[in-house]
Amino acid sequence: MTDFPQLDGFRGAPGVVRLIGHRGARGVMPENTMEGFVFTLNVGVRAMEFDVVLTRDRTPVITHNHHFLNAATRGTDGNWLTGEELKVSELSLSEIRQLDVGGLDGRTVYGKRFPDQVFLSGIRVPSLADLLDFAVQPEGQDLLLLLEMKSEPVVNGQDHDSTAIVREVVKDVRARGLEQRTILHSFDWTLLEECARVAPDMPRSFLSQMPERADEPGEDSQKSVAPDFNALGMSIPKAVAQAGGRMWCPHYLDVTPDLVAEAHDLGLLVSTWTVNETADICAAIDAGVDGIITDYPGRAQRILLSRGLTW
Ligand code: MG
């Protein structure tokens, strides 16, 4: 089996459960921003999960949805965006750079989900290149990248190059020699097949969420791009292993100790998302996962420490 050194940073061990900052540290810092990533690294959490979408000019930028959420985006005039949400794929990088994503509108459903997030101004959507450039600097040298590629669901059969994102992302990672610090990660298992062809030198992480789980308010659903997990004819860990994956990332409510043990027997790592509440963090630890993807790295650190564990 190919040895991928980055997997070591995601592998649990006796006394160790890995923490992975979700979009940086969304509970306390603006999500998917350089400020959030630097904060998370500075508190001693090396691994970052973040989301990449392509702009109109085919630049990978770090943002979660295919639209900029009005609840999290201000325009050049400093006012919240209103009306139809701006689509990432219809904007150029320079247009996206005008937006301010440093705060949440506390009147909105999404804003109310993260009442402890700081409010900053003048914060720009980073390109993937911005984060990778930081990762090769001395201050970013510990960073490990769990890089989620978002595939856009095909609408009305429109012509659509769904694998372009893989080529653009891999090009950016290779340009900085970060292949050994990156894991390619997606809900779209077809996209992950393309990753195996384009970048066999990088390990792949397979996301899953059972269809009965509710989608989170304010977030694009991934159900339309994911496999039909009830029709696999085998357990999800088995399917991930069969597809050549090295890590399985189930929704936290889909985790059981038996599935974690099965995944480990198959040689997979298991990191679960997005685990924010104390009881859920404890349940994930008890289930034996390798890693916990959380919006609240500080909260998770304190829980680990209280149990005599580290990350
Ligand atoms: Mg993600």
Side-chain angles (χ1 to χ4, degrees), residues 22 49-51 64 148 150:
H22 186 239
E49 197 271 358
F50 58 95
D51 314 284
H64 183 269
E148 182 177 352
K150 295 291 187 188

Side-chain angles (χ1 to χ4, degrees), residues 165-245:
I165 190 165
V166 174
R167 294 191 298 277
E168 296 301 329
V169 160
V170 167
K171 191 170 71 182
D172 277 0
V173 171
R174 285 201 202 291
R176 294 160 186 83
L178 288 167
E179 297 94 323
Q180 298 201 330
R181 287 163 57 191
T182 304
I183 298 179
L184 300 173
H185 175 65
S186 192
F187 276 101
D188 183 340
W189 292 23
T190 308
L191 215 54
L192 289 167
E193 283 175 26
E194 180 69 5
C195 292
R197 284 187 285 269
V198 173
D201 52 339
M202 285 185 251
R204 292 170 298 140
S205 163
F206 288 60
L207 280 152
S208 71
Q209 177 180 21
M210 294 307 285
E212 56 270 28
R213 303 287 164 232
D215 290 320
E216 301 286 4
E219 303 185 35
D220 284 350
S221 172
Q222 299 301 312
K223 288 174 185 166
S224 64
V225 300
D228 178 354
F229 294 112
N230 288 320
L232 288 175
M234 66 182 87
S235 71
I236 301 179
K238 201 159 279 165
V240 172
Q242 215 166 74

Side-chain angles (χ1 to χ4, degrees), residues 49-299:
E49 197 271 358
F50 58 95
D51 314 284
V52 172
V53 177
L54 283 189
T55 64
R56 188 180 72 217
D57 43 356
R58 301 274 166 142
T59 305
V61 291
I62 303 181
T63 190
H64 183 269
N65 289 351
H66 292 292
H67 297 80
F68 290 106
L69 259 188
N70 288 347
T73 315
R74 283 164 284 164
T76 42
D77 57 4
N79 294 322
W80 298 108
L81 299 188
T82 55
E84 198 180 334
E85 290 185 329
L86 297 175
K87 202 171 178 199
V88 182
S89 65
E90 291 177 353
L91 299 174
S92 68
L93 178 63
S94 63
E95 287 165 338
I96 289 170
R97 296 285 201 199
Q98 312 283 314
L99 304 172
D100 186 340
V101 291
L104 295 176
D105 180 350
R107 301 166 299 181
T108 62
V109 173
Y110 193 69
K112 288 185 206 304
R113 284 181 60 196
F114 302 103
D116 297 328
Q117 192 185 98
V118 297
F119 190 87
L120 305 176
S121 290
I123 304 302
R124 303 302 164 204
V125 174
S127 63
L128 175 61
D130 291 335
L131 179 60
L132 300 179
D133 285 342
F134 172 73
V136 297
Q137 299 301 314
E139 59 270 35
Q141 66 184 356
D142 290 335
L143 206 58
L144 295 172
L145 308 164
L146 184 56
L147 191 165
E148 182 177 352
M149 289 160 292
K150 295 291 187 188
S151 64
E152 198 162 359
V154 176
V155 181
N156 302 327
Q158 71 191 33
D159 193 25
H160 167 75
D161 181 2
S162 59
T163 57
I165 190 165
V166 174
R167 294 191 298 277
E168 296 301 329
V169 160
V170 167
K171 191 170 71 182
D172 277 0
V173 171
R174 285 201 202 291
R176 294 160 186 83
L178 288 167
E179 297 94 323
Q180 298 201 330
R181 287 163 57 191
T182 304
I183 298 179
L184 300 173
H185 175 65
S186 192
F187 276 101
D188 183 340
W189 292 23
T190 308
L191 215 54
L192 289 167
E193 283 175 26
E194 180 69 5
C195 292
R197 284 187 285 269
V198 173
D201 52 339
M202 285 185 251
R204 292 170 298 140
S205 163
F206 288 60
L207 280 152
S208 71
Q209 177 180 21
M210 294 307 285
E212 56 270 28
R213 303 287 164 232
D215 290 320
E216 301 286 4
E219 303 185 35
D220 284 350
S221 172
Q222 299 301 312
K223 288 174 185 166
S224 64
V225 300
D228 178 354
F229 294 112
N230 288 320
L232 288 175
M234 66 182 87
S235 71
I236 301 179
K238 201 159 279 165
V240 172
Q242 215 166 74
R246 298 299 299 269
M247 187 153 80
W248 171 43
C249 289
H251 184 275
Y252 72 96
L253 293 175
D254 298 333
V255 172
T256 66
D258 285 349
L259 284 170
V260 174
E262 184 187 355
H264 283 159
D265 286 345
L266 291 161
L268 301 175
L269 303 182
V270 182
S271 291
T272 181
W273 59 278
T274 304
V275 201
N276 288 341
E277 301 306 323
T278 298
D280 298 325
I281 293 169
C282 290
I285 297 168
D286 293 338
V289 300
D290 294 274
I292 291 174
I293 302 172
T294 179
D295 288 318
Y296 295 91
R299 185 181 298 170

Side-chain angles (χ1 to χ4, degrees), residues 22-53:
H22 186 239
R23 310 185 199 174
R26 176 173 59 164
V28 294
M29 290 292 288
E31 68 183 69
N32 281 328
T33 61
M34 287 306 301
E35 290 73 9
F37 299 133
V38 170
F39 168 86
T40 306
L41 186 60
N42 284 345
V43 300
V45 172
R46 298 177 60 195
M48 235 54 77
E49 197 271 358
F50 58 95
D51 314 284
V52 172
V53 177

